[in-house]
Amino acid sequence: MDDEAPLLLTGPDYGATKVVVASGIDGAAVHREGDTRNGEAFDDVPHAKRQLGLFSAVVLIFNRIIGTGIFATPSVILRSSGSVGVALLMWLTGATIAAVGTTVYIELGTGLPRSGGEKNYLEYIYRHPKFLATCAFSVYAVITGSSSANSLVFSEYLLNAFDVPPTRFNTRLVAFLCLTFCATVHGTHVRFGLRLQNSLGIFKLFLLGGIGLTGLCSLFGLLHVPSPHNFEHMWEGSRGDVSALVVGLYNVIWSFVGYSTANYALSEVRNPVWTIKRAAPIALVGVTAVYMLVNVAYFAVVSKEDILGSKRIVAALFFRNLFGSNTERILSAFISLSTLGNLLSGQFSQGRVIQELGREGVLPFAAFFSSNKPFNAPLAALVTQWFFSCTFVILPPPGDAYLFMISLSSYSLAIINTLVSFGLLLLYARPEWDPPFRAPKPVVVAFFLSNVFLVVVPFVPPKEGGGTYEHLPYWAHAVTAFAVSFIGLAYWYVWCRWLPRWKGYRLQREWVLQDDGVSRCVFQKMPIEDR
């Protein structure tokens, strides 16, 4: 039967006209030659929707990368490495992995300059079976976009600032309220949300710069603070347990997660090709410099034993040792504000990923997820992300919640990055792939191999007594990350294969224009005559 056959089922009134849209799943991409609008034509959304320039894109990435990691993970990383020297090397290793990853994502972002990030890249690379990559990724989008771990750290620092002892109830209650605030702001007042997260990004830069400079002054004897002598024995206690080192490296990598944040919102970036080539490197260089300075500052002021026992409040100990116990609470308030900036940036970008999955038409209730109504913002997508983040805050056991969510998110991201980097190597054999920016092939290979390593090693049993969790097995996050992919695979099979075969129709895909001027994909069920 041809494409003009009547529909098997009467479709809804989409309130829009059919349009032709460039889509990665159909093999469309921006080429080096012929792109006269710096990528804006690829996803031709209303120009008023493009509210992010170079500065806002840099701050978005900077804000997203620097969240709770630099404040909350140094003790975990030191425990995994065993020594100050190895801990610093692990931070440099994480920065290197982030740098090669940034290069890979710049190439993909310039070739497919549309909101959605990895969704676009996976469905462009792995086009067959059609829609399988998109369905599988949708589950990972919820996990990697979860803000549960950061919201818990925000809660702990805020409670510490008000001198309230943290309990399981009040920690999760404050985290819930924080997630609700972020979703509400970005879902109802986009401009205010952008101004707020930009302001918090600038505040964060001054805060971390001040910590770094203060620590250097202490290290060189310009401040009268007792030295913990960490740098005199910086290699003492170094561990050779590969499993423990990888757990520490996961925490470092998690602290650098966000270098691809602008890729998730490229449909809202002005001149996206030009902007992404500059914004991501600027942000990453700034983050790396700040991270190394702050780590040196911690080790210059706080003893190794105190850092190991600090769990997630090492920065508060830093200020206590320098300025007294009263300032510890002030710093906790500052760190909670810094974490809020990260949460706002994360919700802004991840909400766009969920919305893009809705625009692609593969999710149930796609019109709901793709909508910008009623506040000209992806409120429905943000509420969805809010729901899953709150669920992840509440469900895991108290002692393991934070580390499990970090490890699950980092491991899921390693799986995605492995598929993306391997796919990019496959694209080099396709003559139609010629984006405005090309990553050096050795860089792509290095990114691929580093992520393969991160995917494989967590299955190596740790040494006796070196388990990662208190109540969960060491492989919990790795097995969970693979298991959840079957949710997407099962959904794809039922929606795209089993139901059409059972009910005798085929899915026909077309793009329509919504009332807000943004296009989305709809699927029509076309009857098959011969069953």
Side-chain angles (χ1 to χ4, degrees), residues 152 155-156 159 164-174 398:
L152 287 170
S155 177
E156 289 182 352
L159 290 171
V164 177
T167 65
R168 183 179 185 183
F169 174 76
N170 64 21
T171 299
R172 281 157 173 72
L173 175 62
V174 173

Side-chain angles (χ1 to χ4, degrees), residues 346-363:
Q347 292 291 291
F348 178 87
S349 59
Q350 291 300 326
R352 272 66 186 171
V353 175
I354 301 296
Q355 184 181 42
E356 286 301 309
L357 288 167
R359 287 183 64 193
E360 206 63 52
V362 300
L363 295 179

Side-chain angles (χ1 to χ4, degrees), residues 299-506:
F299 292 128
V301 174
V302 185
S303 70
K304 182 178 176 180
E305 291 73 22
D306 282 349
I307 293 175
L308 289 173
S310 66
K311 294 187 177 180
R312 297 194 287 273
I313 57 171
V314 59
L317 295 180
F318 171 85
F319 259 58
R320 183 200 65 185
N321 288 0
L322 276 176
F323 307 114
S325 57
N326 291 334
T327 58
E328 180 181 338
R329 291 172 56 191
I330 296 174
L331 179 69
S332 293
F334 287 165
I335 294 175
S336 65
L337 288 175
S338 172
T339 307
L340 178 61
N342 172 270
L343 288 163
L344 285 167
S345 294
Q347 292 291 291
F348 178 87
S349 59
Q350 291 300 326
R352 272 66 186 171
V353 175
I354 301 296
Q355 184 181 42
E356 286 301 309
L357 288 167
R359 287 183 64 193
E360 206 63 52
V362 300
L363 295 179
F365 314 109
F368 171 76
F369 290 114
S370 63
S371 175
N372 278 314
K373 294 180 179 179
F375 301 104
N376 198 29
L379 178 61
L382 287 164
V383 169
T384 304
Q385 194 64 52
W386 166 86
F387 172 79
F388 284 104
S389 292
C390 291
T391 300
F392 292 147
V393 163
I394 296 169
L395 288 185
D400 293 329
Y402 180 77
L403 188 55
F404 176 78
M405 287 312 307
I406 290 177
S407 299
L408 178 62
S409 179
S410 297
Y411 193 84
S412 298
L413 189 60
I415 295 174
I416 294 170
N417 284 338
T418 300
L419 293 171
V420 167
S421 52
F422 178 71
L424 185 55
L425 293 172
L426 295 179
L427 287 182
Y428 289 159
R430 299 181 188 175
E432 70 270 18
W433 178 253
D434 187 27
F437 174 86
R438 298 298 291 265
K441 194 171 183 179
V443 168
V444 182
V445 172
F447 189 56
F448 169 68
L449 293 177
S450 66
N451 281 284
V452 168
F453 175 80
L454 293 173
V455 168
V456 171
V457 170
F459 289 100
V460 178
K463 292 181 179 179
E464 188 175 350
T468 305
Y469 303 110
E470 294 178 17
H471 307 289
L472 300 174
Y474 67 91
W475 40 259
H477 60 280
V479 171
T480 302
F482 277 109
V484 296
S485 66
F486 288 101
I487 299 174
L489 296 177
Y491 171 75
W492 169 83
Y493 178 78
V494 171
W495 168 70
C496 201
R497 288 290 187 268
W498 183 72
L499 280 177
R501 190 180 303 124
W502 178 41
K503 295 190 175 182
Y505 63 84
R506 61 183 175 83

Side-chain angles (χ1 to χ4, degrees), residues 146-227:
S146 170
S147 297
S148 54
N150 283 353
S151 66
L152 287 170
V153 175
F154 168 84
S155 177
E156 289 182 352
Y157 272 105
L158 190 65
L159 290 171
N160 189 53
F162 286 97
D163 200 23
V164 177
T167 65
R168 183 179 185 183
F169 174 76
N170 64 21
T171 299
R172 281 157 173 72
L173 175 62
V174 173
F176 168 81
L177 294 175
C178 174
L179 290 169
T180 304
F181 171 77
C182 293
T184 303
V185 167
H186 278 319
T188 59
H189 300 87
V190 178
R191 288 184 180 275
F192 172 74
L194 286 174
R195 291 193 186 102
L196 178 60
Q197 72 184 30
N198 284 352
S199 300
L200 290 172
I202 295 171
F203 165 78
K204 185 183 304 185
L205 178 62
F206 280 102
L207 172 64
L208 292 174
I211 291 175
L213 291 176
T214 304
L216 288 178
C217 290
S218 176
L219 182 64
F220 292 111
L222 300 179
L223 295 176
H224 299 291
V225 180
S227 173

